[in-house]
Amino acid sequence: MQNTMAIVFVSILAIVSLSHLFTTIDVLQASLPHLFHNIFMFIDFILLAYFLWQGIAKKHSLVTMFAVIQMLLYTYVISLSPTLLSSDILVDKVSSIMYLVINIVGGVIIIYALEYIKSEEFSKFKKSGFIAMLFLFLSVMNFIVSTNNIEIFFMLFELTTLFSYLLIAYRSDELSNNNALKALWMNQIGGVAILLALVVSITKYDTLYFDILIKNIDSTYLLPIALLAIAGFVKGASIPFDKWLLGAMVAPTPVSAILHSATMVKIAPYLMLKLSPAIISSGFASITITLIGTFVFFAASMLALSKDYFKEILGLSTIALLGLMMALAAIGSEESITACLVLIVFHAISKALLFFQAGILEKVNHLKYVKEINGLVNHSPILVFFIIIGFASLTLPPFGAFIAKFMAIESIATEITRNPLYVLALIFIALGSVFLTLLYFKVVTKLFAKDVSSKEDNHTPLPKLYMIPSSILVSLLIIGILVSYDMKLLSSTEIIVPSLLIAIVPILFVSVLFKKAHRVKEYHCGEKDELELSMYYFAVSDGYKKIITAVAILLILILVVGAVL
Amino acid sequence: MIEIILIIFAPLIGGLIYGFERVVRARMQNRQGPPILQPFYDMYKLLGKQAFIVNPYHSILGIMHFVTLWVVVAFVILGENLLYVVFLHLLSSIFIVLTGFSVRSIYSHIGANRELLSIIAYEPILIMLAVGFFMLNGTFDIDAIRSSSSELASMFFLFLAFLLVIPVKLKKSPFDAAEAHQEIVGGVEVEFSGVFFEFLYMAKWLEYVFIYSLLMLFAGNSILLGAVLFVVVFLLVNLVDNSTARVKINHLIKIVLSIGLTLGMLNLIGLSYV
């Protein structure tokens, strides 16, 4: 009963967000009555008080400190009253695309969560609470992409922090609690950055609205933009703020899926998109944020190569791709903005699909580490199919994420002619994308070793509520190919030919059995040992990790200092 | 029309280059060497052999590697987008890697591993190459690149970087770690036989056509320069192949990436000031 209701609700959300995309209104604006502002203010104080209480109760000095700082700053912000006013709600095309991601991908994740949470050992109340929290999370996300008021944006930002804190701590063991607190204080940095941005914006530009701030921005004084960008880096878990997202892996898998694809971390590229007109008004901010983003893309892909935990590999690749999205938004040309949106949408679908499989691996096959998944194709060919599609859709033509990467290189190539520093960004992207390909197929190859002698009947069946969401996402990927064909993002041969090539393979698998050929065993060259299929590791030494963090911090400092000077 | 004929005969052209190469290499070593048509004799012989397969995945992915590579070559000949060609070529490499891993033979696995690793070495350089052409012509269109004048002078550093890529792709010493017949009995090839090996063999020929047709882009619209480039680079690659020993796979990556990326970066920065 509960499940049916949730599924119906999810479908309604999906239909509404789809129909919204096709309505003709370009920009929808509205203001909220004064009462709401008072309620929001009240919520803010409660939230900050809750963080403070958690900091004191869990004896975590960083959480306490940031909560106090935020309270002081917030009180100060309220005491200032800016005069340049605009509408609180502003829904444009970017918001409607975000609605699609949030409600459709997020909705599919909730359907998946219904099955996943069944097998956890919690009280019925806590299980329902879990689903409810996911729904609330989606609603906060829907609101955050519709608001134009930075103060409301701050409240919603803090609410996402709260939900991530509660969801990461959901299993309430020691590890979960520690990682949740880590996520809390790191995200609080983002909150502080937004409040500082608000203070600067009000005192210098006399407004707390995104649109006025962006319009009136003085290209020599970008401090509020830089601060908001930092809030974006925090939410997007860019290096050096990457630790919290990796810690979030202890939470149940649907949480990771929803954090990584439909909610929260997507605030980062969204915020950059929103700020992008202001960012590109100063060439300095544009190049610095592009470099930060592409550097994160490169560094996170490299770090991921040394990981073995499946979810952690997915997590680092999310961080990498978010870096790329932010860089694309900061370049700000028409093409790069399209590329950014395409990447947001398809990354959400592919990552959700992959996290689903991670969850299924954990629940059905009881596997967590890549080193254990040798020859999975012998037991769960469907699972392997989903994983391969997921990884292929992030790297290979004709899938959406590939198109975005392709357009990214194209728009950077255009920028190089203007500023040679973009060569660095190009190198980061080229290396990062190769590393990601290597990473994904390193994992895939592990699944693949087909055992000739294995019987076909030891397949593990999957529950319906696992199969359906994964299949929906795969069909979304295929619809994505059709849409990109329709939008002419690539020429039609460039989309059709690889689609055919990829489609031929499964057809051949099914139809060709090589009747005439003799089946033989593999070449073993006299070795008697049972073959342990080898996977290579790339250890990234601590020295390099420190350098990466140092470079990332340095770049952010350059951004802040440069924004003031 | 000429394009269609070229595409259809692309594997044969590659086979001829390969046969010619065996003659040249033999002459460099003061040997007589096989006749120029030897690859086709080999092919004929392979077709007569009994086909053994290890599992259907393995054979199908091997065939797909060949088919995809043929499509890549067709895209180059038809003058499509260069950057796209580079990425489509990646798809064909992924097929061969999956092939290598779809059996349980350790040699096949090591070969596929090295294949995947050598992607790290050449892919960024190919991307930079495409960007270099983009900066000069304002487009990734191979047709446009071919119809403009030669870019060899302004892309000389990128040309040198590309020279490093050729032996990696064609499995020539010192960068033939992915195949390494003496150590890993041919890597991904090891489990192929009969007609299925034939596909892999022909894919190698296509690799020749692909890499030399990229080389021709440096010549622009000058056919003479193209011919000179081909002969010089062809002889150079074989000379190096004959006179060097194989390096380890990690050295391969370090050498190709460090030198290649530096050259490419210098070249692109230079171009941005033009």
Side-chain angles (χ1 to χ4, degrees):
Chain A
M1 180 60 198
Q2 248 179 344
N3 283 3
T4 335
M5 261 174 65
I7 291 171
V8 168
F9 195 54
V10 162
S11 335
I12 293 173
L13 270 179
I15 292 166
V16 169
S17 51
L18 253 182
S19 63
H20 179 265
L21 187 71
F22 295 112
T23 47
T24 45
I25 312 163
D26 253 0
V27 180
L28 182 93
Q29 282 179 308
S31 275
L32 297 174
H34 194 64
L35 173 69
F36 278 90
H37 288 272
N38 289 338
I39 297 175
F40 293 154
M41 213 185 294
F42 178 68
I43 293 176
D44 263 326
F45 273 114
I46 300 259
L47 257 178
L48 292 177
Y50 176 73
F51 290 162
L52 184 63
W53 174 56
Q54 286 295 313
I56 293 169
K58 301 263 165 74
K59 296 197 178 63
H60 200 290
S61 52
L62 278 168
V63 172
T64 323
M65 185 180 83
F66 283 122
V68 172
I69 294 175
Q70 286 191 80
M71 280 182 144
L72 295 175
L73 276 173
Y74 187 62
T75 326
Y76 180 56
V77 166
I78 296 171
S79 70
L80 304 164
S81 45
T83 52
L84 287 177
L85 297 179
S86 178
S87 38
D88 293 321
I89 303 288
L90 193 152
V91 179
D92 51 13
K93 278 288 165 215
V94 177
S95 314
S96 15
I97 290 173
M98 293 304 288
Y99 290 149
L100 281 190
V101 174
I102 294 163
N103 296 317
I104 297 186
V105 180
V108 174
I109 293 172
I110 290 182
I111 297 179
Y112 172 87
L114 292 174
E115 173 72 32
Y116 185 94
I117 204 68
K118 234 196 281 177
S119 53
E120 295 275 322
E121 287 167 2
F122 296 117
S123 66
K124 195 165 183 319
F125 176 73
K126 203 174 175 188
K127 284 181 187 174
S128 314
F130 181 75
I131 303 293
M133 245 191 303
L134 293 183
F135 269 119
L136 278 173
F137 209 155
L138 290 194
S139 63
V140 169
M141 278 304 293
N142 276 323
F143 197 1
I144 208 169
V145 298
S146 333
T147 178
N148 184 36
N149 182 328
I150 304 179
E151 224 178 275
I152 300 179
F153 184 82
F154 168 73
M155 175 196 77
L156 297 164
F157 189 93
E158 292 297 290
L159 275 174
T160 58
T161 305
L162 172 75
F163 282 127
S164 67
Y165 172 69
L166 292 176
L167 286 170
I168 294 170
Y170 186 74
R171 286 192 167 135
S172 46
D173 47 35
E174 200 189 329
L175 186 66
S176 309
N177 279 332
N178 287 342
N179 286 338
L181 283 169
K182 195 192 282 165
L184 183 57
W185 73 259
M186 281 206 175
N187 277 297
Q188 278 178 311
I189 299 177
V192 173
I194 294 181
L195 286 173
L196 285 173
L198 265 173
V199 172
V200 180
S201 164
I202 296 172
T203 47
K204 168 94 180 165
Y205 295 106
D206 198 22
T207 184
L208 45 74
Y209 290 91
F210 278 116
D211 57 345
I212 297 180
L213 176 67
I214 287 161
K215 209 162 48 195
N216 293 356
I217 197 83
D218 170 5
S219 65
T220 54
Y221 188 80
L222 287 171
L223 189 57
I225 304 295
L227 286 167
L228 286 171
I230 289 175
F233 294 140
V234 172
K235 272 286 157 190
S238 290
I239 300 171
F241 307 110
D242 56 331
K243 298 287 181 299
W244 74 262
L245 193 62
L246 297 179
M249 296 304 166
V250 295
T253 306
V255 175
S256 313
I258 212 159
L259 284 181
H260 282 256
S261 51
T263 63
M264 193 118 152
V265 297
K266 285 281 152 49
I267 295 174
Y270 171 76
L271 193 58
M272 295 295 170
L273 277 177
K274 207 161 176 80
L275 301 176
S276 120
I279 291 172
I280 55 174
S281 73
S282 126
F284 169 79
S286 174
I287 178 71
T288 320
I289 296 180
T290 308
L291 281 180
I292 295 175
T294 48
F295 177 74
V296 168
F297 179 61
F298 157 77
S301 328
M302 195 170 75
L303 290 177
L305 281 176
S306 61
K307 300 291 181 197
D308 187 33
Y309 185 25
F310 191 56
K311 276 165 87 178
E312 212 164 44
I313 288 177
L314 297 181
L316 275 163
S317 101
T318 303
I319 294 173
L321 286 163
L322 285 171
L324 183 58
M325 290 174 210
M326 288 189 267
L328 282 170
I331 292 172
S333 66
E334 199 181 324
E335 190 185 30
S336 70
I337 298 271
T338 318
C340 180
L341 285 170
V342 171
L343 195 54
I344 288 179
V345 174
F346 288 103
H347 172 257
I349 302 173
S350 308
K351 263 303 145 54
L353 179 64
L354 286 167
F355 269 109
F356 285 1
Q357 310 320 315
I360 298 173
L361 273 178
E362 217 177 305
K363 286 280 168 193
V364 179
N365 304 65
H366 307 287
L367 300 171
K368 271 186 174 179
Y369 293 93
V370 173
K371 63 174 181 232
E372 304 165 338
I373 58 178
N374 263 340
L376 193 71
V377 74
N378 298 317
H379 317 290
S380 309
I382 297 172
L383 195 61
V384 170
F385 169 76
F386 285 141
I387 296 178
I388 293 178
I389 288 284
F391 281 139
S393 68
L394 284 169
T395 38
L396 296 177
F399 294 104
F402 163 78
I403 293 175
K405 189 174 76 179
F406 183 81
M407 290 166 78
I409 293 177
E410 226 169 35
S411 36
I412 289 208
T414 322
E415 294 302 315
I416 294 177
T417 42
R418 260 170 260 160
N419 185 346
L421 269 177
Y422 281 98
V423 171
L424 272 181
L426 177 77
I427 290 182
F428 286 148
I429 290 197
L431 282 176
S433 68
V434 178
F435 283 153
L436 276 186
T437 312
L438 187 73
L439 171 72
Y440 294 152
F441 287 93
K442 180 179 107 166
V443 178
V444 166
T445 52
K446 284 298 275 185
L447 309 165
F448 223 85
K450 173 88 176 164
D451 194 351
V452 207
S453 52
S454 87
K455 301 273 183 300
E456 296 291 316
D457 54 3
N458 59 356
H459 292 178
T460 331
L462 295 182
K464 237 191 236 158
L465 279 182
Y466 281 160
M467 276 297 291
I468 294 171
S470 304
S471 321
I472 293 177
L473 291 179
V474 171
S475 41
L476 281 180
L477 282 174
I478 293 167
I479 292 171
I481 297 176
L482 294 176
V483 172
S484 44
Y485 174 75
D486 201 43
M487 283 169 67
K488 298 196 168 46
L489 293 175
L490 289 178
S491 79
S492 47
T493 32
E494 284 169 354
I495 291 181
I496 294 170
V497 170
S499 320
L500 283 178
L501 283 175
I502 290 178
I504 290 173
V505 181
I507 296 171
L508 281 179
F509 279 151
V510 177
S511 56
V512 184
L513 290 166
F514 301 114
K515 290 248 164 55
K516 279 187 185 165
H518 287 224
R519 298 288 285 265
V520 285
K521 281 263 189 183
E522 290 94 347
Y523 178 57
H524 273 298
C525 198
E527 286 142 22
K528 280 184 182 162
D529 290 332
E530 181 60 26
L531 169 63
E532 174 63 29
L533 297 182
S534 53
M535 189 171 73
Y536 41 92
Y537 291 92
F538 300 81
V540 179
S541 69
D542 284 338
Y544 279 119
K545 281 182 196 158
K546 276 184 193 134
I547 293 174
I548 288 172
T549 319
V551 171
I553 294 175
L554 184 72
L555 281 170
I556 291 177
L557 284 179
I558 291 176
L559 174 69
V560 176
V561 174
V564 184
L565 296 178
Chain B
M1 192 57 204
I2 180 101
E3 280 99 346
I4 306 284
I5 296 170
L6 271 179
I7 290 170
I8 292 170
F9 288 107
L12 299 185
I13 298 168
L16 280 175
I17 302 178
Y18 183 56
F20 181 59
E21 189 188 73
R22 289 181 69 172
V23 174
V24 169
R25 244 173 34 206
R27 292 297 146 81
M28 282 177 172
Q29 297 162 347
N30 262 331
R31 286 191 288 118
Q32 174 61 35
I36 212 166
L37 291 180
Q38 186 62 41
F40 299 100
Y41 299 147
D42 292 348
M43 176 177 163
Y44 181 72
K45 195 172 129 195
L46 275 174
L47 288 177
K49 297 262 179 189
Q50 169 70 49
F52 290 103
I53 62 167
V54 177
N55 67 50
Y57 293 78
H58 181 247
S59 314
I60 288 170
L61 288 167
I63 295 171
M64 284 313 294
H65 168 62
F66 166 74
V67 173
T68 318
L69 212 48
W70 204 347
V71 172
V72 172
V73 170
F75 270 47
V76 178
I77 293 173
L78 289 174
E80 285 280 334
N81 188 315
L82 178 57
L83 185 59
Y84 185 83
V85 164
V86 169
F87 283 120
L88 196 63
H89 184 258
L90 181 65
L91 177 65
S92 79
S93 309
I94 293 298
F95 276 129
I96 191 82
V97 170
L98 292 181
T99 311
F101 277 102
S102 66
V103 291
R104 291 163 67 82
S105 156
I106 196 151
Y107 297 114
S108 185
H109 279 224
I110 297 175
N113 250 341
R114 292 187 179 181
E115 200 77 52
L116 200 49
L117 287 171
S118 59
I119 292 176
I120 292 193
Y122 65 74
E123 189 79 6
I125 294 174
L126 290 183
I127 294 175
M128 287 180 107
L129 188 74
V131 171
F133 280 116
F134 177 87
M135 287 172 70
L136 281 169
N137 295 288
T139 169
F140 283 113
D141 218 28
I142 293 179
D143 251 347
I145 296 168
R146 269 203 291 246
S147 54
S148 67
S149 58
S150 162
E151 275 104 5
L152 185 59
S154 36
M155 286 181 57
F156 190 67
F157 283 170
L158 272 168
F159 172 72
L160 293 179
F162 182 64
L163 283 187
L164 283 172
V165 169
I166 296 179
V168 182
K169 281 304 317 170
L170 298 185
K171 314 262 162 47
K172 298 262 170 252
S173 205
F175 298 146
D176 55 343
E179 194 179 83
H181 268 282
Q182 298 89 329
E183 307 158 33
I184 55 170
V185 284
V188 282
E189 296 171 5
V190 69
E191 296 289 352
F192 282 96
S193 63
V195 62
F196 300 107
F197 183 63
E198 183 47 43
F199 279 107
L200 220 61
Y201 199 50
M202 286 200 293
K204 236 182 198 172
W205 302 351
L206 283 174
E207 213 62 270
Y208 276 81
V209 179
F210 172 68
I211 216 77
Y212 283 115
S213 59
L214 285 191
L215 178 72
M216 289 302 156
L217 294 183
F218 284 99
N221 57 5
S222 156
I223 295 171
L224 181 70
L225 181 61
V228 173
L229 262 188
F230 173 72
V231 172
V232 171
V233 170
F234 185 79
L235 289 176
L236 180 71
V237 167
N238 282 300
L239 194 65
V240 173
D241 181 34
N242 267 332
S243 52
T244 53
R246 179 166 51 243
V247 296
K248 285 181 186 168
I249 185 76
N250 45 350
H251 290 151
L252 185 162
I253 297 170
K254 274 182 197 151
I255 294 170
V256 174
L257 263 194
S258 57
I259 300 178
L261 280 187
T262 318
L263 286 171
M265 191 164 81
L266 288 176
N267 204 153
L268 291 184
I269 291 175
L271 284 180
S272 71
Y273 282 113
V274 174

